[in-house]
Amino acid sequence: MKERIKNEMKHAVTYTLKKKDNKTKARRGVLHTPHGDIQTPVFMPVGTQAAVKAVKPEEIKGMGAGIILSNTYHLYLRPGHELIKEAGGLHKFMNWDGAILTDSGGFQVFSLGPLRKISEEGVEFRSHVDGSKHMLTPEKVMEIENALGSDIMMAFDECAPYPADRTYVKNSLERTNRWLKRCKDAHHNTDHQALFGIMQGGMYQDLRKESADYIVGLDLPGYSIGGLSVGEPKELMYEVLDYAVDYLPEDKPRYLMGVGSPDALFEGVERGIDMFDCVLPTRIARNGTAMTSTGSVAIKNAKYERDFSPLDSECDCYCCKNYSKAYIRHMYKANEIMSSMLLSHHNLHFLIKMMEGIRTSIEEDRFSAHKKEFFAKYYGK
RNA sequence: GUGGGCGUAGUCAAGUGGUUAAGACACAGGGUUGUGGCUCCUGCAUGCGUGGGUUCAAAUCCCAUCGUCCACC
């Protein structure tokens, strides 16, 4: 408790570890943010452009989600962070009173590869919207995230590609470390916004250690593991997680960036991860796939043409309570936005409830058994 | 009845003598992991209304026939 009070005075976001699983590294905790407490492990829906695509904030709230993600790079380009500040901050602008985590644009350094140039100073981007040139530096990113007013601000990093050779990854992570220090120095709103550091290091154990030692040394309110889920085999990602999590302190939240398939969420939790985000549930929803307790359902498949049952007989979401597979299929085939709305709603609900189940299983010391049961049903193994 | 046009995949069609018949939509699968995505990838006519013929070679030329549309009686 003493530690908690000390932390609260120091950081806008703090973490309370409530329980550790008796067999695995899974842990149950609470993330205290200026916009509410978040039960962990947690899955955070992604709303890149200040909107979780096809889903209204009140729906997300209704599912029990307390925190969503948004993106610095996108909001800086459009509509501009000054405009959002003028609107009263991102929470007010998008009508979301829960917590918000903003990604820094570090992932866009990776995903917009051909459109950017990296230097010690920062990254020069060519806007994917209109081709205009922009320079993002750690200081600029802090200015933007401060203007947005997110609860958790991710540091500006480089998410290195996979595969990447050792020398590249080492240089990259050391530059990312220097950028992190600059982020910390440029961040002046520490009592309202928490800056999280990002561990890089690719698939190299010693580099993961080097990265972790540095970022942990800066005593930040939370740490994330970046540079994973960038195309490497899942087994390799789990292998990295096996050791990477151990390099992070127990009293701070650990966030695995960009991971969201049901199996990876379980594997991440098992290795001690507290926070996840991913576009997967909303993206595959828009492309016609649902996550259900018995596996994924590609709604466009002909076998659902006359299937008047809900997506998931065990699901109590708005979509499953009111609509059939046949209807959703028809909406999808007819290019009606309704299919994106219903499937996105369902998928987010599914993952959020799945995380709820994971949390309960940790509390009751039956995480491993729960994982086994879930996999047997979901993947048929 | 006479004259003319047209018949190529489920649909709309390119192709007018020369290797395995464009393309689009539809249809059928698959992908998607800190969102450059109502998207991307793959498959889908052993056959060109039908039957003959000419030719080394025919969706393409000729004859017949069926269907269809238009014009005129």
Side-chain angles (χ1 to χ4, degrees):
Chain A
M1 196 60 199
K2 225 171 162 183
E3 182 65 21
R4 158 88 188 278
I5 289 165
K6 192 178 127 203
N7 265 333
E8 275 183 349
M9 311 247 315
K10 209 160 104 188
H11 295 304
V13 169
T14 57
Y15 175 75
T16 303
L17 175 57
K18 285 175 70 179
K19 182 167 195 329
K20 287 157 77 176
D21 183 48
N22 57 353
K23 288 194 193 115
T24 70
K25 287 194 251 175
R27 46 194 229 152
R28 174 77 180 84
V30 183
L31 196 63
H32 309 281
T33 83
H35 286 84
D37 284 357
I38 313 297
Q39 305 303 315
T40 65
V42 65
F43 174 78
M44 306 180 283
V46 178
T48 303
Q49 310 202 74
V52 176
K53 292 182 194 291
V55 188
K56 289 182 287 191
E58 36 283 45
E59 291 178 62
I60 299 169
K61 203 82 185 178
M63 296 170 194
I67 180 169
I68 62 173
L69 204 89
S70 200
N71 190 289
T72 300
Y73 166 83
H74 296 264
L75 295 179
Y76 156 73
L77 286 185
R78 183 174 57 192
H81 56 296
E82 298 94 344
L83 184 149
I84 290 174
K85 187 174 185 178
E86 196 182 321
L90 186 54
H91 294 82
K92 191 174 174 206
F93 186 53
M94 68 180 291
N95 186 35
W96 172 256
D97 63 3
I100 299 177
L101 180 151
T102 40
D103 188 24
S104 61
F107 184 72
Q108 280 63 46
V109 178
F110 160 73
S111 67
L112 267 46
L115 296 180
R116 92 299 193 252
K117 204 161 66 190
I118 306 170
S119 64
E120 182 61 29
E121 175 61 11
V123 181
E124 186 183 86
F125 287 96
R126 266 191 32 223
S127 162
H128 69 279
V129 179
D130 62 8
S132 57
K133 277 187 185 170
H134 299 269
M135 184 73 184
L136 281 188
T137 63
E139 292 76 17
K140 183 71 183 175
V141 168
M142 289 301 101
E143 178 199 323
I144 298 169
E145 294 192 282
N146 281 155
L148 296 175
S150 51
D151 299 85
I152 297 172
M153 312 164 31
M154 297 311 298
F156 190 48
D157 68 327
E158 181 197 353
C159 176
Y162 174 85
D165 66 63
R166 225 193 104 80
T167 307
Y168 182 92
V169 174
K170 185 172 166 65
N171 289 334
S172 169
L173 87 84
E174 287 172 355
R175 182 173 50 222
T176 285
N177 285 349
R178 290 190 294 275
W179 285 357
L180 175 59
K181 179 66 168 61
R182 284 165 60 186
C183 281
K184 191 183 176 188
D185 291 344
H187 173 37
H188 300 302
N189 193 17
T190 52
D191 51 340
H192 289 98
Q193 296 180 273
L195 172 67
F196 276 28
I198 304 176
M199 182 208 295
Q200 290 293 341
M203 312 300 153
Y204 305 95
Q205 184 165 4
D206 59 321
L207 297 185
R208 283 282 167 188
K209 177 83 164 64
E210 180 184 336
S211 175
D213 285 348
Y214 183 84
I215 65 176
V216 171
L218 291 185
D219 187 28
L220 298 166
Y223 301 101
S224 77
I225 298 176
L228 290 179
S229 200
V230 287
E232 79 283 7
K234 272 185 180 173
E235 290 311 316
L236 181 54
M237 176 172 87
Y238 300 148
E239 206 182 298
V240 173
L241 283 179
D242 278 333
Y243 53 74
V245 174
D246 294 338
Y247 302 149
L248 296 174
E250 196 168 65
D251 63 341
K252 299 286 174 65
R254 304 149 175 173
Y255 163 29
L256 175 58
M257 308 181 83
V259 166
S261 63
D263 58 333
L265 291 175
F266 269 93
E267 299 294 344
V269 168
E270 182 165 37
R271 288 163 176 78
I273 300 294
D274 307 300
M275 304 161 67
F276 303 85
D277 81 281
C278 196
V279 305
L280 192 69
T282 46
R283 178 179 290 173
I284 65 174
R286 275 174 282 122
N287 293 331
T289 299
M291 295 170 171
T292 78
S293 58
T294 52
S296 67
V297 168
I299 203 65
K300 63 182 159 185
N301 287 175
K303 62 182 168 184
Y304 301 120
E305 188 177 16
R306 289 168 184 284
D307 188 333
F308 302 108
S309 66
L311 281 174
D312 189 342
S313 59
E314 292 180 18
C315 183
D316 64 347
C317 83
Y318 168 76
C319 171
C320 289
K321 275 192 297 199
N322 297 290
Y323 301 95
S324 67
K325 292 194 200 69
Y327 178 74
I328 301 164
R329 179 174 195 273
H330 167 58
M331 289 294 100
Y332 182 79
K333 301 291 277 187
N335 284 319
E336 284 292 346
I337 297 166
M338 183 64 79
S339 76
S340 293
M341 293 166 61
L342 293 174
L343 287 171
S344 297
H345 180 101
H346 169 82
N347 283 352
L348 287 179
H349 178 98
F350 178 79
L351 285 188
I352 286 163
K353 295 300 162 186
M354 191 189 89
M355 296 310 286
E356 229 173 77
I358 287 177
R359 290 196 295 269
T360 304
S361 76
I362 298 171
E363 286 165 11
E364 298 172 354
D365 268 328
R366 54 177 181 80
F367 172 75
S368 294
H370 178 60
K371 177 188 168 198
K372 196 173 278 184
E373 282 166 33
F374 182 92
F375 275 36
K377 211 161 157 186
Y378 196 93
Y379 296 100
K381 61 187 177 192

